[in-house]
Amino acid sequence: MASRESDKPIVAMKPGNAGGAKGLTGMRPVCVQTRTGKRDLRDRTAGLRTGAQFSTKLKSLTLRARKSPRNQFCSLMHLMTEDSLLACFGDLKRNKAPGIDEVTMIEYEANLEENIRSLLVRLKARQYRPQPVKRVYIPKANGQKRPLGIPTVEDKVVQMACKKILEAIFEANFLPVSYGFRSGRGCHDALDDLSLMIMKRPINFVVDMDIERFFDTVNHEWLMKCLQQRIRDTVFLRLINRFLKTGVVSEGKHLATVAGTPQGSVLSPVLANIYLHYILDLWFERRIKPKLKGYARQIRYADDFIIGFQSEHEAKRFTDALRARLAKFGLRLAEAKSRIIEFGRYRWQTACRTGKRLATFDFLGITHYCDRTRTGNFKLGRKTARARLRRALQATNEWLKLIRNRMKYQQWWPLLAAKLRGHYNYYGISGNGWSIKNYYDHVRQMVWKWLNRRSQRRSYNWDEYQRLLRYNPLPKPRICHGYPELTRMYA
């Protein structure tokens, strides 16, 4: 009889991963508003109770946004959990200045869990109010001052969470011509794309445009309409609007903000990309390019953009249309910095025959000019912009003057070497060897000058200083970024 009995049931003694074992928990679904008006609940998988859960959900948002470019997200605030806010705090830089409450990162971190828990309660109860931004001014190369906004630590945490959510959704919409403040796309990628456009495409004219005070004149109503193209979560949109309307504190006075996004804010770069994506990038690709007979291409890094044209007539028509387009959205061109110049292979060949000299233009701190190879063919010349080189030398000179007597040179010498390497890593591009060599020579002369001004008595003559450099060498200039492969093709 025992052989005919059924086997005893095998019951799991420990809960599975979805039941809470190993620190795993179920995740709330994301609600997506489809074109038909139906509410679609998906993604009920389990995730870690750490910042990895937030990262996983962001990847899910990106995949969903890429798969359905026109769907709108109507439930996003539940992504802001205690774990995600803690992860966002870990992504903030520790050496930044405090906001108007004068609370530093170290002070906020001393009681981090309670602060994040209190912040989350106010977010869920819709009682969270961003504090006004502290406004400071930094000098510009032209003698003017650039306003910067410094939020509080708590506001930075929430802005970082909003920034990651917006990037996860809108990254699928951004066009390849946009390079500013995007993951995996930096300044040198934009410079390489520009080099390929000039050297491989029939470019005869370059439209060098600059938007006047872009971050201070962004229209809030149009920006919210741009966000509503993919987001229908009214609570999340209200939170973004509160950051825009929070105001600034300048010289002890609270000023209301009716336009613009403060530079220095964690949220400003992604909002600028979204704004310019709809009013500039899509407009140029879908409205302007289909009407052109010749070749044209745009390259944009944040609010700086360059557009190459084959025809001068089409370049002028585009400039007039761009003024009207920007005026519709509360922006305007800086006429003193906007121009159309002859540039490119064919214009260079014509200029060589007639003895004419073509103009140059600056983009991302690099001056671009028409040059020739050793065999006499055309190539795009690149060098450090004069204003950037002067600014870098002035900053290094002030730093050496300040640090020379505060510590022994053995202590600040590695810092000086790091500054030189940082300069080479950005400006060390093919064709710019002379400029970085010039920067190195000037820095070497400044070090000798300030070493000899630590007291009334000179420390080194030139031969002794050369011996010091032989035993304590400074990093030599080197090219870190070569020319892009000219055989690479792009859209």
Side-chain angles (χ1 to χ4, degrees):
M1 296 296 294
S3 61
R4 298 181 183 180
E5 293 180 356
S6 302
D7 295 335
K8 294 182 179 181
I10 300 176
V11 182
M13 301 301 297
K14 295 182 180 180
N17 290 344
K22 298 183 181 180
L24 295 176
T25 183
M27 297 174 62
R28 294 181 59 184
V30 176
C31 182
V32 180
Q33 185 76 20
T34 61
R35 298 287 292 179
T36 59
K38 298 180 180 180
R39 300 168 70 86
D40 184 14
L41 299 177
R42 289 174 282 183
D43 196 359
R44 301 176 181 272
T45 57
L48 291 172
R49 288 181 178 171
T50 60
Q53 179 184 8
F54 186 51
S55 177
T56 303
K57 293 299 294 182
L58 294 179
K59 293 179 181 178
S60 177
L61 287 180
T62 302
L63 294 175
R64 195 167 304 132
R66 187 179 295 115
K67 182 179 179 180
S68 304
R70 296 187 178 183
N71 282 1
Q72 296 174 315
F73 295 82
C74 59
S75 178
L76 296 172
M77 285 300 296
H78 71 275
L79 296 175
M80 294 189 183
T81 62
E82 184 177 346
D83 296 329
S84 64
L85 294 178
L86 286 172
C88 292
F89 177 84
D91 293 337
L92 297 177
K93 297 181 179 179
R94 296 294 190 271
N95 57 349
K96 295 298 182 180
I100 61 171
D101 59 356
E102 299 300 331
V103 177
T104 62
M105 293 285 293
I106 298 177
E107 295 173 351
Y108 193 86
E109 192 176 12
N111 199 12
L112 180 60
E113 292 187 0
E114 285 191 17
N115 291 331
I116 294 296
R117 197 174 296 116
S118 172
L119 173 61
L120 184 61
V121 169
R122 283 177 284 138
L123 281 172
K124 289 184 176 181
R126 304 182 187 180
Q127 297 176 351
Y128 169 74
R129 295 292 186 276
Q131 299 187 49
V133 176
K134 183 170 69 174
R135 173 166 288 180
V136 296
Y137 296 90
I138 59 174
K140 298 174 63 175
N142 56 5
Q144 299 179 357
K145 292 185 177 181
R146 184 190 304 276
L148 291 181
I150 304 177
T152 62
V153 177
E154 189 175 71
D155 293 341
K156 288 180 182 179
V157 174
V158 182
Q159 288 185 17
M160 178 63 72
C162 295
K163 168 182 174 291
K164 291 185 176 182
I165 294 174
L166 290 175
E167 287 179 343
I169 295 175
F170 285 94
E171 185 64 31
N173 292 63
F174 291 153
L175 301 181
V177 299
S178 173
Y179 289 92
F181 304 103
R182 295 180 60 187
S183 178
R185 302 171 69 85
C187 296
H188 293 101
D189 298 319
L191 293 173
D192 290 346
D193 198 352
L194 179 61
S195 300
L196 289 171
M197 181 183 74
I198 298 296
M199 299 181 67
K200 292 291 292 182
R201 300 301 183 183
I203 298 298
N204 295 321
F205 296 89
V206 170
V207 178
D208 183 13
M209 296 294 175
D210 186 32
I211 301 177
E212 185 175 359
R213 299 178 58 197
F214 169 75
F215 286 94
D216 298 332
T217 56
V218 172
N219 187 281
H220 292 172
E221 295 182 3
W222 282 111
L223 177 57
M224 296 306 297
K225 290 181 179 179
C226 293
L227 295 175
Q228 291 170 7
Q229 299 298 315
R230 298 304 310 266
I231 299 174
R232 291 194 61 183
D233 188 345
T234 56
V235 180
F236 185 81
L237 292 175
R238 188 184 301 115
L239 179 61
I240 300 295
N241 191 53
R242 285 177 179 175
F243 279 117
L244 296 175
K245 303 292 186 181
T246 185
V248 298
V249 174
S250 179
E251 298 179 353
K253 297 180 180 180
H254 181 269
L255 305 175
T257 53
V258 296
T261 59
Q263 289 181 266
S265 170
V266 179
L267 202 55
S268 292
V270 64
L271 292 179
N273 273 337
I274 295 172
Y275 196 64
L276 290 177
H277 167 74
Y278 284 103
I279 72 171
L280 180 62
D281 298 349
L282 287 181
W283 171 71
F284 180 77
E285 293 293 330
R286 297 180 180 179
R287 297 289 183 88
I288 300 298
K289 288 184 69 173
K291 299 179 181 179
L292 301 179
K293 296 182 179 180
Y295 180 80
R297 180 173 173 82
Q298 172 199 356
I299 298 175
R300 181 177 65 82
Y301 190 93
D303 60 326
D304 298 330
F305 59 96
I306 295 291
I307 304 179
F309 284 91
Q310 186 175 359
S311 169
E312 182 181 10
H313 174 67
E314 293 177 343
K316 292 181 178 179
R317 287 181 55 191
F318 167 77
T319 304
D320 297 335
L322 180 62
R323 288 191 179 94
R325 177 72 175 179
L326 295 180
K328 178 182 177 181
F329 295 93
L331 303 174
R332 61 180 180 178
L333 290 176
E335 299 295 339
K337 301 180 181 179
S338 303
R339 55 179 181 159
I340 301 175
I341 62 173
E342 298 183 13
F343 205 89
R345 178 188 304 274
Y346 304 110
R347 290 294 168 177
W348 174 77
Q349 294 174 352
T350 303
C352 290
R353 292 193 298 266
T354 59
K356 183 180 177 181
R357 186 174 181 179
L358 297 181
T360 63
F361 67 92
D362 293 345
F363 185 60
L364 300 180
I366 302 296
T367 298
H368 297 78
Y369 60 96
C370 294
D371 198 7
R372 66 172 71 235
T373 63
R374 295 179 181 178
T375 57
N377 297 323
F378 169 80
K379 77 168 183 177
L380 179 66
R382 304 183 293 182
K383 63 180 181 180
T384 307
R386 184 177 300 178
R388 292 291 187 93
L389 180 60
R390 186 187 306 114
R391 189 190 314 170
L393 291 174
Q394 289 176 353
T396 306
N397 187 65
E398 292 295 330
W399 182 79
L400 289 171
K401 180 180 178 181
L402 183 65
I403 204 70
R404 57 185 169 135
N405 282 329
R406 292 195 172 187
M407 57 183 68
K408 295 182 179 180
Y409 83 91
Q410 291 89 346
Q411 296 176 309
W412 57 258
W413 201 268
L415 301 178
L416 177 63
K419 290 179 178 292
L420 288 170
R421 285 193 297 268
H423 187 86
Y424 303 153
N425 287 337
Y426 185 82
Y427 294 102
I429 59 178
S430 293
N432 196 30
W434 180 86
S435 292
I436 59 176
K437 177 64 165 56
N438 187 24
Y439 175 77
Y440 169 77
D441 292 339
H442 278 82
V443 170
R444 191 173 56 174
Q445 292 283 348
M446 287 188 293
V447 172
W448 182 48
K449 179 184 73 172
W450 291 115
L451 282 176
N452 286 327
R453 292 192 180 184
R454 293 177 295 177
S455 63
Q456 297 180 351
R457 183 177 179 180
R458 293 185 61 177
S459 301
Y460 303 94
N461 59 30
W462 184 252
D463 293 335
E464 293 172 342
Y465 178 59
Q466 294 300 317
R467 191 179 304 112
L468 173 67
L469 290 178
R470 195 177 310 121
Y471 288 101
N472 301 275
L474 292 174
K476 294 295 183 66
R478 65 187 185 93
I479 300 299
C480 302
H481 307 278
Y483 272 110
E485 303 245 350
L486 296 183
T487 57
R488 194 182 82 187
M489 304 300 292
Y490 52 88

